[in-house]
Amino acid sequence: MRPTDNEEFSIGYYLCKEFGLFDLDIGIRYDDISRKGSLVHHEDEHHDEDEHEEEIEFFNKDYSETSFAVNFSRELNDNLTLSLGIARVERAPSAVELFMNGAHLATGRFEVGSTNLESETANNIDLNVYYQNNNFSFRGNIFSNQIDNYIYLQDETEEEHEDHEEHDDHGGLILANYLQRDAELEGYEIEVSQLFNFDRGNLTLSLGRDSVTGEFKNGTNIPRIVPARNILTVSYSEENLEARLTYKDVEEQNDIGEGETMTQAFEMLDFSLRKSFVLSNQNKISLSLFGKNLLDEVARNHSSFVKNEVPLPGRNFGLKINYKF
């Protein structure tokens, strides 16, 4: 991508007001954005390979965005709280999405932006529930997000790659274009936890699950949507000791977009132990021992552009020492 010049001016206002029946939170933001960039067009039809001519086209894109969010919350009793959030958020295309036109080695792609992209407009509604009774708690959230002009990076298909491979294979990279289309995201998050008190410390058990689905308005899937997960956590804490064991059950992802491949399910088990010591001069030293992917799973992150080439790290251990003075 050639150099770009970006200027952004934002001003916002936030209000929190307590009424008799509910609490109200309101946020409003205005963004004025200017992005200046350029693209190079090669003119070589009538010249030898060593005599390419370049034509540079300059762009000045201006965007004015207004976003707001409103949240209503109410404590129904001492244990139960409900909240409803409504938001409309506008987002201007980034400089990369507009002016990128070249190799991006970190993603293994030849990425091409579009100067015709319009701003995204997201209309979101979410409902939150929080319940606590003594040492038991429950959290839940469901949301729906309707996005007009959703911007995403679309890989070319194998057939499209074969059509132009003889002329330009883009350095062996996958050709990917920034496109936009109306889309819808829906999902939920839930977590239940129980706290147990002991003479010297506290033990907490929690179980959670989160899931999100993403589709374009024509019914096809948005690429690189994370799969559903179940997460079990056991944590113990004393005055200067913390221990945590986390088990993640990540489901397979077969709701794939065009040009994608499915990702297998995997299990991830992580452990951490931290002990702190206060020295005589009130300085503090902390020792942390951690182990990740203790099951040594071959796991891949579906949202990664290089999931096939670069799996998640295998079983690994580490020791950290932190000294504060």
Side-chain angles (χ1 to χ4, degrees):
M1 186 175 70
R2 292 173 55 82
T4 62
D5 183 12
N6 298 275
E7 296 181 1
E8 299 185 14
F9 171 79
S10 298
I11 186 171
Y13 178 77
Y14 172 73
L15 170 68
C16 177
K17 183 71 174 179
E18 295 182 1
F19 295 94
L21 294 177
F22 59 88
D23 297 337
L24 176 66
D25 296 89
I26 298 177
I28 302 175
R29 188 183 77 239
Y30 171 78
D31 302 303
D32 187 76
I33 301 171
S34 173
R35 306 202 193 281
K36 298 178 182 179
S38 58
L39 296 175
V40 174
H41 304 285
H42 296 280
E43 301 291 343
D44 57 357
E45 293 181 0
H46 305 291
H47 297 269
D48 296 331
E49 292 184 359
D50 298 331
E51 298 180 351
H52 294 324
E53 290 187 357
E54 292 184 348
E55 178 185 347
I56 302 178
E57 185 178 7
F58 294 90
F59 297 89
N60 187 355
K61 311 292 290 187
D62 295 318
Y63 303 92
S64 296
E65 318 289 1
T66 302
S67 304
F68 73 88
V70 181
N71 187 78
F72 305 90
S73 62
R74 180 180 180 183
E75 295 184 1
L76 299 183
N77 51 49
D78 294 337
N79 307 111
L80 182 62
T81 301
L82 297 178
S83 65
L84 175 67
I86 301 172
R88 178 181 173 86
V89 179
E90 297 181 343
R91 185 185 76 87
S94 67
V96 171
E97 294 166 341
L98 290 169
F99 306 121
M100 183 66 180
N101 187 29
H104 187 183
L105 300 182
T107 63
R109 278 153 176 79
F110 190 100
E111 298 180 7
V112 179
S114 172
T115 57
N116 295 320
L117 293 177
E118 301 178 6
S119 295
E120 290 182 343
T121 302
N123 298 291
N124 182 70
I125 181 170
D126 62 273
L127 176 65
N128 294 272
V129 179
Y130 177 66
Y131 175 82
Q132 183 175 20
N133 189 354
N134 296 323
N135 292 334
F136 174 82
S137 65
F138 169 83
R139 297 178 183 272
N141 167 260
I142 57 175
F143 67 89
S144 175
N145 196 355
Q146 310 282 336
I147 308 176
D148 296 334
N149 299 321
Y150 175 79
I151 300 174
Y152 63 102
L153 191 60
Q154 178 63 59
D155 293 345
E156 64 178 349
T157 63
E158 293 183 4
E159 293 78 8
E160 292 171 335
H161 180 73
E162 292 174 355
D163 289 341
H164 64 72
E165 186 174 13
E166 295 181 358
H167 307 285
D168 185 5
D169 66 350
H170 301 100
L173 302 176
I174 299 172
L175 177 63
N177 292 275
Y178 282 100
L179 307 175
Q180 60 185 171
R181 189 184 299 177
D182 294 347
E184 179 179 7
L185 294 166
E186 294 180 340
Y188 63 86
E189 300 170 330
I190 56 174
E191 182 185 51
V192 294
S193 62
Q194 178 68 48
L195 174 67
F196 301 91
N197 298 315
F198 297 97
D199 293 336
R200 299 185 58 180
N202 300 316
L203 176 70
T204 303
L205 301 178
S206 66
L207 176 64
R209 177 178 172 84
D210 57 68
S211 175
V212 60
T213 59
E215 291 185 350
F216 295 114
K217 288 299 179 67
N218 64 357
T220 59
N221 295 311
I222 298 175
R224 292 175 293 277
I225 293 294
V226 295
R229 306 181 303 170
N230 302 298
I231 303 175
L232 174 64
T233 303
V234 182
S235 59
Y236 178 79
S237 63
E238 293 182 3
E239 182 178 358
N240 295 314
L241 176 68
E242 297 179 3
R244 178 182 294 267
L245 182 68
T246 303
Y247 170 77
K248 296 181 182 179
D249 174 30
V250 181
E251 300 179 2
E252 70 176 12
Q253 181 57 287
N254 50 22
D255 293 332
I256 56 178
E258 183 180 4
E260 279 194 298
T261 59
M262 69 167 294
T263 302
Q264 296 290 341
F266 63 88
E267 300 172 337
M268 191 68 65
L269 183 64
D270 299 333
F271 173 77
S272 65
L273 177 66
R274 179 180 179 183
K275 178 68 175 178
S276 300
F277 304 90
V278 179
L279 307 181
S280 57
N281 56 1
Q282 297 304 309
N283 294 344
K284 186 177 181 180
I285 187 170
S286 300
L287 299 177
S288 300
L289 174 68
F290 66 86
K292 297 183 179 180
N293 195 2
L294 299 180
L295 303 177
D296 202 21
E297 284 272 278
V298 178
R300 287 178 165 80
N301 180 5
H302 183 76
S303 62
S304 170
F305 287 96
V306 291
K307 67 169 187 176
N308 295 324
E309 296 81 4
V310 186
L312 297 175
R315 183 188 296 120
N316 62 97
F317 301 93
L319 176 65
K320 296 180 180 179
I321 301 177
N322 185 32
Y323 181 60
K324 293 184 178 180
F325 56 92

